[in-house]
Amino acid sequence: NSFVTRTNTCGELRSAHVGQEVTLYGWIQYQRQGLFLVLRDFQGLTQIIIPQDEAHAHVKKLLSNAPVESVVRVTGIVIPRPPGQENPKMPTGDIEVKAETAEVLNSCKKLPFEIKDFIKKSEALRMQYRYLDLRSFQLQYNLRLRSQIVMRMREYLCNLHGFVDVETPTLFKRTPGGAKEFLVPSREAGKFYCLPQSPQQFKQLLMVGGLDRYFQVARCYRDEGSRPDRQPEFTQIDIEMSFVDQAGIQRLIEGLLQYSWPEQRGSITTPFPSMTYEEALANYGTDKPDTRFGMKIVDIGDFLRRSDIQFVQDALSYPHGTVKAICIPHGVRYLKNKDLESLKESAKSQFNQEIMEIICRPDGSLKSLLTKFLGEKQQSELIQALNMQVDDVVLLAAGEHKQVCSALGSLRLETADLLEAAGLVLRDPTAFHFLWVVDFPLFLPKEENPTELESAHHPFTAPHPSDTSLLYSDPTKVRSQHYDLVLNGNEVGGGSIRIHSAEQQRFVLEKVLKEDSEVLSHLLEALEFGAPPHGGIALGLDRLISLIVDAPSIRDVIAFPKSFRGRDLMGNAPDYVTPEELEPYHIQVSWLLAEKEAKKN
């Protein structure tokens, strides 16, 4: 209460304050028949008794007529609630304040929605009136917890481990590869700035500059269009260190998260488990596995190799051919036929992958199109290989390794959603399973042209020390020194050891990626002036906080987020500007040009 004229907040009065005169400021949350109201501020709620005697008639009239969500000042005496009227659900539930004087500081007009967490509101309405939505308990809690976590992170990095907090520019130039960047026009004809998708180049240049340990709560920008649960502007905890290896970065981040982790979410255990990209793909069908539940992908290719099943033999005859399956516990009990059909259709439409189901009947026998090709002994071996129990359902896929794994990985998550919707708890919402995924490929074939390569992450990632020679002979086989941090099946961080040799960086850009290295001439030149070995990581702050508070969307942990389509519905941005405003930037909008041409003709 320092620096302000209130004596207390609405969340702090207790029995110990009985008899004291207090001054409270807040919003009227609720008012009942001119008898009492509930006053709310950032910290909580206090019940205010409206005086009924003639001497306080003006106070009664003022408070009884003030609309809900009006801002008021109330001065009064703290009194105990009458016996039996205490409210154990309210921290201030043992007391109330009898109003002596009051003032309506600002009256509230008719609200577009009620300020209550349990009232359903459309996403668009919440975004349009975000300043009202921010008054809800949940958003207040989310933003305050976010602030506390960031403050703890600063303490850990700057005060305990000597990191330097440096702001890097947000007006820069295009970076080859990676996500699409926002363009910002300049007054030089035809020249544009770009908003950086991350401070990647600057943090490497800070290492060349000898800062040794850099940290920033960094604003980042990506023009990714309409992608669910993504934001065009977002926040990273950005970190870079000199003379460090992968294990050093991982230990730092584990310590950082342990130090800043909110007490009310329990404790987290370090070190975090680690698995390679290949293991993650083979066992979970994704590079960001949710390890809170089982249903791992099982390879049954060797077992079925001895069978006479034609589609299995066809699949295994191809390079990287495989047969894999997932076992759904109690699938018969929890999944309907339409669910199984929907899962099969999903694999077909998303991955062009056929799926066959196997059901374990109550008598232990199998029901499947496969069984006519398998003898009793083989069926028994199959049950053993998949660890099937009565009422389990197995989904089997045959084909190219990556496609089969990706399809089954997606079905594993879809099935978990279906089982949980039917009442089976698979993923503990209070559990936090961190995981490092390492040894990613350094390059991947381009989707639009598989004969060309692109960086799996970004072009500054160093090759795995054991694979350096392959960079020059067979780059497709090179593993990278990239590492991702995964939490409950969500990527919450990613980083790498960087290339610190100008020669190697130039080779990657020009020979492997076929990029114009001139765009990065400043970085390449910097690497020639004694660049130290360095590496770093960036944690996605929005995603991390949303998982900690179990928010349905990252928009619920950002004060003023953009909509699904990247619009600010409150301020109506982006917006049109006049041709006169565009003139200094040497820009004309094409539809305006077309309009002018039409007028000429």
Side-chain angles (χ1 to χ4, degrees), residues 92-260:
T92 60
D94 289 336
I95 59 90
E96 51 198 12
V97 173
K98 189 175 180 187
E100 296 286 331
T101 66
E103 181 186 359
V104 176
L105 300 169
N106 211 331
S107 185
C108 181
K109 71 175 187 176
K110 186 172 166 35
L111 291 162
F113 53 78
E114 286 188 73
I115 315 291
K116 287 174 183 167
D117 286 296
F118 58 83
I119 298 285
K120 290 283 181 200
K121 308 169 275 271
S122 77
E123 186 81 1
L125 201 60
R126 288 180 63 200
M127 304 283 266
Q128 187 182 348
Y129 295 97
R130 187 61 168 186
Y131 44 84
L132 293 179
D133 201 29
L134 285 170
R135 293 183 190 175
S136 70
F137 168 79
Q138 193 58 59
L139 281 188
Q140 289 269 326
Y141 174 81
N142 292 354
L143 292 177
R144 289 176 193 285
L145 185 70
R146 177 182 176 129
S147 171
Q148 288 162 19
I149 289 171
V150 170
M151 183 54 75
R152 295 280 289 169
M153 287 179 166
R154 282 187 192 280
E155 279 176 21
Y156 182 84
L157 292 167
C158 298
N159 297 355
L160 299 184
H161 293 287
F163 279 77
V164 185
D165 186 349
V166 181
E167 301 92 20
T168 54
T170 48
L171 290 176
F172 194 44
K173 64 189 285 190
R174 189 181 72 82
T175 304
K180 260 187 115 175
E181 290 158 323
F182 284 103
L183 295 176
V184 180
S186 78
R187 289 172 183 265
E188 290 186 60
K191 291 189 175 181
F192 292 80
Y193 295 107
C194 280
L195 298 180
Q197 45 190 297
S198 84
Q200 183 60 47
Q201 294 181 53
F202 290 111
K203 62 183 186 176
Q204 289 192 238
L205 293 167
L206 287 169
M207 295 306 101
V208 178
L211 258 79
D212 194 68
R213 295 181 170 204
Y214 144 90
F215 145 77
Q216 183 183 186
V217 181
R219 299 294 285 160
C220 305
Y221 307 87
R222 286 181 192 169
D223 187 6
E224 295 188 309
S226 303
R227 294 187 62 177
D229 220 22
R230 290 283 181 100
Q231 287 284 300
E233 49 182 325
F234 55 98
T235 308
Q236 287 182 176
I237 300 296
D238 203 45
I239 289 168
E240 198 80 3
M241 295 172 78
S242 295
F243 312 111
V244 72
D245 59 10
Q246 185 168 308
I249 296 282
Q250 288 173 338
R251 282 198 308 275
L252 170 80
I253 294 304
E254 287 166 359
L256 172 72
L257 288 168
Q258 212 167 25
Y259 186 86
S260 58

Side-chain angles (χ1 to χ4, degrees), residues 496-554:
S496 63
I497 301 303
R498 323 299 185 189
I499 296 171
H500 64 279
S501 149
E503 187 187 350
Q504 192 179 79
Q505 185 66 79
R506 191 173 274 110
F507 179 83
V508 166
L509 289 167
E510 295 175 358
K511 305 297 184 208
V512 181
L513 301 175
K514 309 287 193 282
E515 292 276 5
D516 178 10
S517 64
E518 193 54 39
V519 182
L520 292 166
S521 58
H522 55 283
L523 180 66
L524 289 166
E525 188 176 19
L527 295 180
E528 290 173 330
F529 285 106
H534 57 282
I537 193 167
L539 298 178
L541 184 65
D542 309 309
R543 175 85 53 221
L544 178 64
I545 304 293
S546 73
L547 291 169
I548 290 173
V549 301
D550 195 24
S553 160
I554 60 169

Side-chain angles (χ1 to χ4, degrees), residues 318-370:
Y318 288 111
H320 311 299
T322 189
V323 184
K324 296 194 173 225
I326 55 170
C327 182
I328 304 166
H330 315 296
V332 173
R333 199 180 315 164
Y334 290 99
L335 299 180
K336 300 181 176 72
N337 278 336
K338 65 170 186 157
D339 294 330
L340 290 173
E341 288 308 313
S342 154
L343 289 168
K344 291 199 284 193
E345 180 52 41
S346 172
K348 181 72 179 160
S349 61
Q350 288 184 62
F351 301 95
N352 195 26
Q353 180 63 56
E354 296 289 349
I355 298 289
M356 183 174 284
E357 80 259 29
I358 308 168
I359 292 169
C360 189
R361 295 189 180 107
D363 63 359
S365 64
L366 298 181
K367 177 189 171 188
S368 172
L369 293 172
L370 281 182

Side-chain angles (χ1 to χ4, degrees), residues 31 40 302 368 398 406 461 480:
Q31 196 260 109
R40 182 194 75 244
D302 287 345
S368 172
S406 298
T461 305
S480 71

Side-chain angles (χ1 to χ4, degrees), residues 293-304:
F293 69 109
M295 280 172 57
K296 284 189 187 179
I297 298 169
V298 181
D299 191 332
I300 50 173
D302 287 345
F303 166 74
L304 287 177

